[in-house]
Amino acid sequence: MTVAYGHRTVRWADAKFNRRFGGVAAPPRPELSSREVASKAWKSWLRFLLTYVISVGMIFGLVVLVGTLDKSAPLLVWLHPLTKVLVYSLIWPIATTIWPGKTPEPTKENR
């Protein structure tokens, strides 16, 4: 999690802290087009895929370290829920790609 989400999470927490205790105003939310929303969803899922690959690699590294499948069975049990979460998290990027939301109409400021 630290490799894939660390920098982003620290940036988010710093911004929240500054808004709460530093008196910094919250920036306006950008109006994203449907393509940008789908792109962000896929980037987020790819970041999660990186987390999954690292986790599975560490589990198999520990299995090799332990040596036998009998002793490492409790480690391998974690592969099933990790894989389910990876597959379930794929629903949002697919949904935003197939059924994109409405693109915001340009306002007088954006023209």
Side-chain angles (χ1 to χ4, degrees):
M1 291 292 287
T2 302
V3 171
Y5 289 100
H7 182 68
R8 184 177 180 187
T9 303
V10 169
R11 235 181 325 140
W12 172 84
D14 285 345
K16 286 286 190 181
F17 185 85
N18 285 336
R19 282 192 294 260
R20 171 86 173 152
F21 298 108
V24 176
R29 289 186 157 212
E31 294 186 20
L32 301 175
S33 69
S34 56
R35 178 175 281 177
E36 290 169 327
V37 170
S39 174
K40 281 184 136 186
W42 281 107
K43 286 177 185 176
S44 178
W45 187 81
L46 288 173
R47 189 173 286 118
F48 187 74
L49 178 64
L50 174 64
T51 303
Y52 174 82
V53 168
I54 291 169
S55 299
V56 169
M58 289 178 68
I59 288 172
F60 280 115
L62 290 171
V63 167
V64 169
L65 183 68
V66 169
T68 64
L69 287 176
D70 294 341
K71 292 180 182 178
S72 61
L75 293 171
L76 295 174
V77 169
W78 282 97
L79 293 176
H80 181 67
L82 282 174
T83 305
K84 279 184 7 183
V85 170
L86 179 72
V87 172
Y88 293 158
S89 68
L90 188 59
I91 293 170
W92 182 251
I94 290 174
T96 57
T97 302
I98 294 174
W99 300 289
K102 296 178 183 176
T103 302
E105 295 185 21
T107 61
K108 291 180 182 179
E109 298 168 353
N110 295 341
R111 289 183 191 175

